[in-house]
Amino acid sequence: MQKFKTIIIFFFLIFLTADPVGAATDYRVEQKDTLWEIALRFQQDLQEIINSNPQIENPDLIFPGEIITIPGHGREFAIPKMDVNENDLMELANQKRKELKLQPLSVDLHLNGAAKKKSLDMMKLEYVSHNSPTYGNPIEMLRNQRISFLTVKENIGAGYKTADEMFAAWMNSSVHRDNILNKKATHIGVGYIQGGLHGHYWTIFIVEKNQGG
């Protein structure tokens, strides 16, 4: 039976004062995090994360606020890397913008991290919605991640196996298309997770930032 496919659109406009992204050492555990989810989010081997954090006595028991080291990130703020699916989706968006003589969207690694968390949350809790039981709506989520923005738009989808399929579905929806082709947008974050009820989960945040923000 063909997998269920769904796409949903979120648009929220808000004006905020500049709020610089907070720096941190390694990764700060958030509510409902598990080491398995963190390993998946950062594309790391679970055992390597366990080995890099000898202070964790029980790998099945970590606490919000606890600092853990992500291998390969040294002492810098740990942000998930883009995988090939996320990179493909970002390139498709910018190719379409280029065709229409729009400015390309800059990749924001902090937005990528937030988008990946959202996709992982949808997979884990088996929902497809802009209102996350864990993070709230997109504005609340980005605020809590200390990501500065003027406007934010979110496209999400589930069940689409490739970036091409997901992008085509969004392009066939006038509102999703308008989000991606927003003339004022400056940055993009992409998050993809494989697994769960629908097999594939996608999130993109498209934001407008102040110059230099």
Side-chain angles (χ1 to χ4, degrees), residues 24-171:
T25 301
D26 299 321
Y27 176 77
R28 183 181 297 276
V29 175
E30 297 182 353
Q31 189 174 12
K32 299 185 180 181
D33 270 345
T34 67
L35 284 183
W36 175 80
E37 291 170 346
I38 293 169
L40 181 61
R41 191 184 309 157
F42 288 94
Q43 302 174 48
Q44 297 283 341
D45 180 76
L46 174 59
Q47 190 58 51
E48 288 186 8
I49 291 182
I50 293 173
N51 293 343
S52 298
N53 293 274
Q55 78 280 7
I56 299 177
E57 297 182 1
N58 182 355
D60 294 324
L61 190 63
I62 57 176
F63 301 95
E66 188 174 357
I67 301 298
I68 65 173
T69 298
I70 306 297
H73 289 273
R75 305 304 297 177
E76 297 178 355
F77 180 59
I79 304 172
K81 301 175 183 177
M82 289 184 76
D83 71 12
V84 63
N85 296 289
E86 294 162 346
N87 190 69
D88 286 349
L89 191 54
M90 178 273 297
E91 289 186 350
L92 286 167
N94 275 335
Q95 285 171 7
K96 179 59 68 174
R97 290 178 65 89
K98 183 178 180 180
E99 290 174 10
L100 299 176
K101 302 187 185 306
L102 298 173
Q103 288 295 320
L105 300 173
S106 299
V107 175
D108 185 299
L109 295 180
H110 296 279
L111 282 174
N112 282 351
K116 194 129 189 167
K117 287 180 182 179
K118 177 62 180 288
S119 292
L120 180 61
D121 193 56
M122 291 193 296
M123 182 198 76
K124 177 185 174 184
L125 300 183
E126 297 185 351
Y127 73 93
V128 183
S129 171
H130 296 292
N131 191 29
S132 163
T134 306
Y135 302 111
N137 66 43
I139 283 179
E140 293 169 331
M141 183 174 188
L142 296 193
R143 277 178 167 173
N144 290 335
Q145 300 295 312
R146 298 186 61 81
I147 297 173
S148 61
F149 60 94
L150 295 176
T151 66
V152 54
K153 301 178 183 182
E154 179 190 68
N155 287 359
I156 57 178
Y160 296 87
K161 295 180 180 180
T162 67
D164 287 302
E165 289 182 6
M166 186 71 265
F167 189 74
W170 284 336
M171 286 295 99

